[in-house]
Amino acid sequence: MNIVGITACTAGIAHTYIAKEKLIQAALSLGHNIKVETQGSIGVEDKLSAEDIANADIVILATDIGIGGLERFKNKQVVEVPIATVVKSPKSLIQKIQAKMANSYSKS
């Protein structure tokens, strides 16, 4: 899978970056490609390109606050979760998404 995501916590500091790293590590360990943008107290970092988004199979929004730029994900499958979900069990989250996508493809 090609995954893109955004992480953003209420303070915009620690959990934003912890969630980003955990998502990346989990996705890579499962053999997926991933790019993650952060939106925090210092603004947007590692902004997703239009090409990143176009190539994405899934968008993961791990946020506890409102984020900007959601219109970029129109016509994409989007999974929204609290940032704590990604911090606590990123691999499980990605495996659930993977299974759900496999089931939807097998029904087509």
Side-chain angles (χ1 to χ4, degrees):
M1 267 190 317
N2 287 318
I3 303 167
V4 296
I6 296 178
T7 60
C9 69
T10 52
I13 307 171
H15 286 104
T16 298
Y17 298 99
I18 292 168
K20 175 184 178 177
E21 287 307 311
K22 289 196 174 235
L23 261 181
I24 290 170
Q25 290 171 5
L28 294 177
S29 75
L30 293 167
H32 302 298
N33 298 312
I34 186 165
K35 294 196 177 181
V36 180
E37 173 181 305
T38 58
Q39 293 189 18
S41 59
I42 58 173
V44 175
E45 292 186 300
D46 300 319
K47 186 174 175 104
L48 299 169
S49 71
E51 183 179 359
D52 294 334
I53 296 166
N55 292 330
D57 298 307
I58 193 78
V59 178
I60 299 174
L61 302 178
T63 65
D64 289 338
I65 59 170
I67 56 172
L70 292 177
E71 67 283 348
R72 299 177 288 170
F73 308 119
K74 186 179 178 186
N75 302 319
K76 287 289 178 183
Q77 288 189 330
V78 177
V79 174
E80 296 183 61
V81 296
I83 205 156
T85 300
V86 171
V87 171
K88 292 178 185 171
S89 54
K91 196 179 251 187
S92 176
L93 171 66
I94 293 172
Q95 288 170 326
K96 286 178 186 173
I97 292 168
Q98 185 177 346
K100 190 170 189 172
M101 289 182 75
N103 286 337
S104 68
Y105 286 125
S106 66
K107 293 177 185 175
S108 302

